Amino acid sequence: MPADTAAPSQLVLVVGAEELLVDRAVARIAAARRAEDPETDTRDLSPGNFTPGTFAELVSPSLFGESRVVVVRASQDLAADDTAALTAALGNLAEEITLVVVHNGGVKGKGLITTMEKAGARRIDVAKVTKPAERIAFLRDEFKAAKRQITEEASRALLDAVGNELRELAAAASQLIADTSDDPRGPIDETIVAKYYSGRAEVSGFTVADLAVDGRTAQALEQLRWALATGTAPVLITSALANGVRSVARVASAPRGARPADLARELGMPPWKIDKVRQQVRGWTPDGISTALLAVAEADAAVKGGGDDSAYALERCVVTVCQARGQGRG
């Protein structure tokens, strides 16, 4: 998410509903103002504490001309009298005041956006992050800002582990960056993510599955042993392996020219996963898929009581799945 690097304006309109990114946009405006005057004070108002009297006091000239940033949040929810007080002040701001008005971009209170624009406000639009690819781009930018790199696979693993909330993703990225600062040269990969989020069973299982489907035997076995050592239930690992191999089978049998969005609707997968599985499919043949599915079924039976050693059954399954990739090719 690119930072807003323009010089500070006296009147700014921030439009968007992505709370973290809105907060960052506001923080950049305040920081730009403090760069001009380190003594700049920032005051926040919202529908809960906005009154015409308080607002008028904050945007009026102060006795000593102190620089101030006044932020009005959730402006779409202001009462009519409060909105009137805000709009009346737009053309009469004291020189040392920067007024930042935040609107969620919806229909409610949309007239205020028009009024702000007519008053010459600099508008900053904050896009809503809704797609997995956009969240992965967000993560990539978080690491780039810290002069670090994260692999695509690690980004997806972190997204699966933490969820869709940007604040939690940003916090997780910050924690990983801090905890791996002793070796800042190499990129953060899925092995590192699995290490820090091994308590989330579904992440450990799917990490093992992804590595196995990619044919990366040594790494898949390493992650399998780590998952088992940290308490991941074997049945969750066989479930993840089955899901991985079946996804390959389903995408492999789909029409070659089908668009990811169409396949996503038909197969019930997100478009980013279609793209990922399509890359994995290149190493698989029908014979290999059959071998892998049989190995997963045998491992599943073993971990559910049909065998004496679940760990051994899982290791044998992972090795078989890895070797099955490419089976039958000339």
Side-chain angles (χ1 to χ4, degrees):
M1 306 296 165
D4 187 275
T5 56
S9 300
Q10 191 176 15
L11 187 58
V12 186
L13 172 66
V14 179
V15 181
E18 197 66 73
E19 186 178 314
L20 173 66
L21 301 183
V22 166
D23 286 349
R24 288 182 174 181
V26 172
R28 287 194 297 270
I29 295 165
R33 191 70 179 188
R34 282 195 301 274
E36 294 185 339
D37 182 351
E39 300 300 318
T40 297
D41 182 32
T42 301
R43 300 291 297 272
D44 267 47
L45 295 175
S46 62
N49 66 354
F50 187 108
T51 65
T54 300
F55 176 73
E57 182 180 347
L58 290 175
V59 298
S60 298
S62 65
L63 183 61
F64 300 103
E66 297 102 334
S67 175
R68 183 182 299 135
V69 176
V70 180
V71 183
V72 179
R73 299 183 184 271
S75 62
Q76 71 280 351
D77 295 326
L78 290 174
D81 289 347
D82 296 339
T83 301
L86 190 158
T87 55
L90 296 181
N92 301 295
L93 294 175
E95 184 178 349
E96 64 270 20
I97 301 300
T98 295
L99 175 62
V100 183
V101 177
V102 178
H103 191 287
N104 69 2
V107 175
K108 185 179 181 182
K110 193 173 182 180
L112 181 57
I113 293 179
T114 303
T115 302
M116 291 281 297
E117 290 176 333
K118 288 181 177 179
R122 178 164 68 94
R123 175 167 172 162
I124 298 174
D125 286 293
V126 177
K128 180 72 174 174
V129 178
T130 57
K131 300 176 181 178
E134 294 170 344
R135 293 187 179 93
I136 287 173
F138 169 80
L139 280 172
R140 192 183 302 118
D141 288 341
E142 292 292 289
F143 283 89
K144 184 178 179 181
K147 295 182 171 55
R148 298 294 302 277
Q149 291 181 313
I150 184 170
T151 66
E152 186 81 4
E153 293 80 6
S155 295
R156 297 194 189 284
L158 191 57
L159 184 59
D160 287 340
V162 176
N164 295 330
E165 219 290 314
L166 289 195
R167 285 194 189 279
E168 293 188 10
L169 286 172
S174 178
Q175 188 67 53
L176 278 173
I177 290 165
D179 289 349
T180 59
S181 60
D182 57 333
D183 184 18
R185 293 167 297 174
I188 291 174
D189 60 19
E190 66 269 35
T191 302
I192 295 173
V193 173
K195 176 181 177 181
Y196 281 88
Y197 290 91
S198 59
R200 317 240 182 163
E202 66 273 23
V203 176
S204 296
F206 285 117
T207 300
V208 173
D210 282 341
L211 292 169
V213 170
D214 284 338
R216 297 156 68 179
T217 308
Q219 289 171 283
L221 287 173
E222 178 185 1
Q223 288 307 302
L224 170 63
R225 289 160 188 157
W226 178 267
L228 293 174
T230 53
T232 301
V235 68
L236 294 178
I237 298 175
T238 57
S239 175
L241 285 164
N243 182 278
V245 177
R246 286 172 187 152
S247 294
V248 167
R250 294 168 71 193
V251 173
S253 63
R256 285 180 176 269
R259 296 183 305 169
D262 295 334
L263 277 181
R265 285 191 294 271
E266 182 179 344
L267 301 180
M269 299 180 187
W272 67 262
K273 188 171 183 180
I274 296 292
D275 290 334
K276 178 181 179 180
V277 176
R278 270 182 163 169
Q279 293 178 355
Q280 295 172 328
V281 163
R282 295 170 189 165
W284 285 90
T285 65
D287 287 344
I289 291 173
S290 296
T291 298
L293 287 172
L294 178 61
V296 173
E298 290 175 348
D300 189 59
V303 303
K304 290 178 178 176
D308 297 327
D309 190 337
S310 295
Y312 174 74
L314 284 169
E315 287 192 5
R316 185 175 60 183
C317 174
V318 165
V319 170
T320 303
V321 171
C322 290
Q323 293 175 343
R325 187 176 188 268
Q327 179 184 330
R329 288 186 178 273

